[in-house]
Amino acid sequence: MSDIQNACNGGLRSYNSWLQEIQVSDVTGWRWRKRGWITVQNISGRAYIEQAEINRFIERVKRGDFAQRPVVPVSGGWSKGERAARSRHRQAAPTRDKGRPT
């Protein structure tokens, strides 16, 4: 039995297979790693995750450590303040005179 197989039997598993199991995309898994929400082990260029790290992550999810306020769009698109700010931004943008030679 190889060292990697021993490691897998000792609590490590493929990070990608875990992401597939919980139905999360590779991109989301990459974001979690980048934000420091989850730690993986690199073995021969492949990402592995310990069962203890999975358990820690699940506990943090249950506590609401990653919860954010939902973004609820207003009817009609942007709110009045956002619409006004975008309108000012468009008006302030420099325009190029197309009739002038460059």
Side-chain angles (χ1 to χ4, degrees), residues 13-67:
R13 64 182 296 183
S14 165
Y15 185 58
N16 288 336
S17 69
W18 178 66
L19 291 175
Q20 288 175 355
E21 182 181 311
I22 63 171
Q23 299 178 356
V24 170
S25 73
D26 294 342
V27 174
T28 299
W30 174 81
R31 286 185 188 126
W32 290 351
R33 290 172 56 190
K34 183 178 177 185
R35 292 175 181 163
W37 292 358
I38 201 140
T39 305
V40 298
Q41 307 299 318
N42 183 338
I43 301 174
S44 299
R46 296 182 189 260
Y48 291 88
I49 187 167
E50 296 177 358
Q51 187 60 47
E53 179 67 12
I54 293 171
N55 295 341
R56 185 184 70 82
F57 181 76
I58 291 170
E59 285 302 315
R60 291 182 70 193
V61 168
K62 287 179 181 177
R63 279 195 317 255
D65 290 359
F66 311 119

